Amino acid sequence: MTAAWQWGNGGSNDKTRDPYGAAPALLTRIQAGLVLFTSCRRIRLAQPHLPVTMTRKRKLIGISLLTLLVLLVAGGIWLWHAFVWVFFVKPGDGGRQWSLPITVVAGGAKGESGFRDGAGPDALMAKPIRLAALDENTLVFADINNHAIRTIRRDGTVATLAGGPDRAGHQDGPAPVAKFRSPHGVAVRSDGVIAVAEVSNHTIRLLTPDASVPGGYVVSTLAGKARDSGMADGAAADARFSSPHAIAWGRDGELYVADIGNARLRCIRHGRVTTLAGNGKRGADDGPAGTLSWPMDLATDDKGGLWIADCGTLMLRRWHPDTGLTTPFPGRQLAMPHGLAVDGDRVFVAEMNGQRILMFDLPAGTVSTLCGTTEKGIDAGRLNRPAAVLAQRDLLWIADLGNHRIVTVPLPASSSQPPSR
């Protein structure tokens, strides 16, 4: 994941390990420690007329080293509770094992990264992270390290719509001259407009089809200001985001944004940005506003709800305008839920640190494992940090981020019947 994290506002929550609850007090202690460390170093300079014995020198050095050690330990503890612990959670029980066959659609045969259009193993990519259906035979995906928006067809043909490894930056205009920086989320509107969430630029971009311009698309900035992270609702141009990771179009043309750095669910509608859930304090509270931690991916359902993969709490959340935030599986902790797809009463999850794809059956309240072995790899049956899933017709598409490839498995017709192979 590529992200420029923004610090939270403090607070605590007894439903999850809030990494920011101790921040203000800890920062105060670090500041005091730095003052002590600096003052010890200045004693000799401030009082040059006083003789400094060898014993006193050793004491000053000892105090300085001890203070530095305390600061390092405190900083390490803070980092662990703030970010690191979620990466060490082991995958839990995956339920029934489907062991579906994995088919490589495109990407290097040995998992090598690169940038090259082509078909099958001739096409190279560098960390494909999000998928969206462009039409019945074509998907669009964000290629993070290549700073590009690209497409992949069912026959494995990969093409670049805009951006490239030599075009990192921010520039609007016809697709051939446009620039992106670490694009993550992609979503396609019914009229073919592609929305992009840019982590490093902190902006939401649009690729609008236009047959009259080179490349067939015009790139524009819908909301936010390039390289200016922050938190502000209001007019789209004045709004600010912090590392937006995922986006999803709503049924009425609204665009939902997973604003991970601000721990909020945002919405862009009629040229204005509002906050739907979250308040900047990272947590797992349900309710009309509720709290989020690291909202990583979004997926709409047919009941007007929005599913959220919350990597900070390692749980699945759901938002609905009538209820706000809820936690459908409160006792189920996942090993980095990074990607989501909803198909009727089933929710598919790319469990990044579990190296597998899970299927949740909502009516039954059960979970099963479609593919992956909990150990990363590139050989048959294994994945390497799966980042996204997309259900389309008879296939479940997977962005196999660590292997720099896009793969598929057969989409089960139901939660109990295995697909035909």
Side-chain angles (χ1 to χ4, degrees):
M1 298 170 289
T2 305
W5 304 109
Q6 300 296 312
W7 305 128
N9 298 322
S12 61
N13 189 298
D14 59 1
K15 294 181 65 178
T16 184
R17 300 176 65 173
D18 180 4
Y20 296 89
L26 181 57
L27 289 176
T28 301
R29 286 170 171 78
I30 292 176
Q31 184 181 25
L34 288 173
V35 171
L36 175 61
F37 180 78
T38 305
S39 64
C40 291
R41 296 294 302 272
R42 289 179 178 174
I43 289 177
R44 182 71 176 90
L45 296 176
Q47 302 181 34
H49 60 282
L50 295 177
V52 180
T53 65
M54 184 60 67
T55 300
R56 185 169 181 177
K57 282 184 178 180
R58 289 173 178 171
K59 287 183 178 180
L60 292 177
I61 293 174
I63 293 174
S64 299
L65 291 176
L66 180 59
T67 302
L68 181 59
L69 178 61
V70 170
L71 293 176
L72 290 174
V73 171
I77 293 173
W78 186 87
L79 285 174
W80 172 265
H81 286 276
F83 301 112
V84 180
W85 73 275
V86 297
F87 294 97
F88 289 86
V89 173
K90 295 182 179 180
D93 179 18
R96 175 186 176 186
Q97 304 293 313
W98 292 68
S99 301
L100 298 179
I102 297 173
T103 300
V104 180
V105 183
K110 297 181 180 180
E112 63 270 30
S113 66
F115 182 73
R116 186 169 66 211
D117 287 344
D122 292 331
L124 295 179
M125 53 197 80
K127 293 188 176 180
I129 192 168
R130 292 283 179 245
L131 306 167
L134 190 59
D135 58 44
E136 288 190 354
N137 296 305
T138 311
L139 272 61
V140 61
F141 68 94
D143 195 351
I144 307 175
N145 285 2
N146 283 322
H147 310 286
I149 306 301
R150 310 175 75 183
T151 60
I152 180 170
R153 295 182 59 82
R154 284 196 164 221
D155 62 6
T157 302
V158 173
T160 301
L161 295 182
D166 59 341
R167 304 200 61 77
H170 183 277
Q171 182 173 323
D172 291 336
V177 302
K179 295 181 180 180
F180 294 86
R181 189 181 298 276
S182 301
H184 273 54
V186 289
V188 181
R189 201 166 62 189
S190 58
D191 59 358
V193 172
I194 303 169
V196 179
E198 281 189 291
V199 161
S200 294
N201 276 332
H202 311 288
T203 56
I204 308 300
R205 313 282 293 283
L206 294 180
L207 282 78
T208 303
D210 189 339
S212 66
V213 301
Y217 285 89
V218 173
V219 178
S220 60
T221 301
L222 174 64
K225 182 179 179 181
R227 309 293 287 177
D228 187 6
S229 66
M231 171 57 209
D233 286 335
D238 299 326
R240 293 295 181 266
F241 301 88
S242 179
S243 304
H245 250 64
I247 47 181
W249 289 104
R251 59 176 61 176
D252 297 321
E254 68 275 23
L255 186 63
Y256 299 107
V257 181
D259 192 356
I260 191 170
N262 286 316
R264 286 174 165 91
L265 173 64
R266 316 281 294 281
C267 181
I268 306 173
R269 186 198 301 262
H270 304 311
R272 296 192 65 82
V273 178
T274 57
T275 295
L276 300 179
N279 56 16
K281 294 182 179 180
R282 301 177 188 271
D285 289 332
D286 291 338
T291 54
L292 296 163
S293 188
W294 297 358
M296 189 69 70
D297 197 17
L298 305 173
T300 58
D301 61 27
D302 56 8
K303 298 178 178 62
L306 187 70
W307 287 78
I308 305 168
D310 193 337
C311 279
T313 62
L314 303 179
M315 292 189 292
L316 298 182
R317 314 290 301 282
R318 184 176 181 269
W319 177 87
H320 190 278
D322 294 338
T323 59
L325 284 173
T326 58
T327 305
F329 300 92
R332 181 78 198 198
Q333 194 174 62
L334 303 173
M336 190 65 67
H338 196 280
L340 282 176
V342 178
D343 181 43
D345 289 328
R346 299 179 298 177
V347 177
F348 301 96
V349 179
E351 193 181 32
M352 178 171 278
N353 286 356
Q355 318 299 341
R356 60 188 182 179
I357 305 301
L358 302 176
M359 178 174 66
F360 286 82
D361 183 316
L362 300 182
T366 59
V367 62
S368 56
T369 300
L370 297 184
C371 62
T373 64
T374 71
E375 294 183 0
K376 63 182 178 182
I378 195 170
D379 55 332
R382 294 191 179 188
L383 301 168
N384 186 351
R385 303 181 68 214
V389 284
L390 175 70
Q392 188 192 48
R393 290 162 50 191
D394 59 330
L395 295 177
L396 186 69
W397 293 75
I398 304 167
D400 194 7
L401 182 141
N403 285 325
H404 310 288
R405 63 185 187 176
I406 294 177
V407 304
T408 62
V409 296
L411 182 65
S414 70
S415 298
S416 58
Q417 284 292 115
S420 57
R421 301 190 181 186

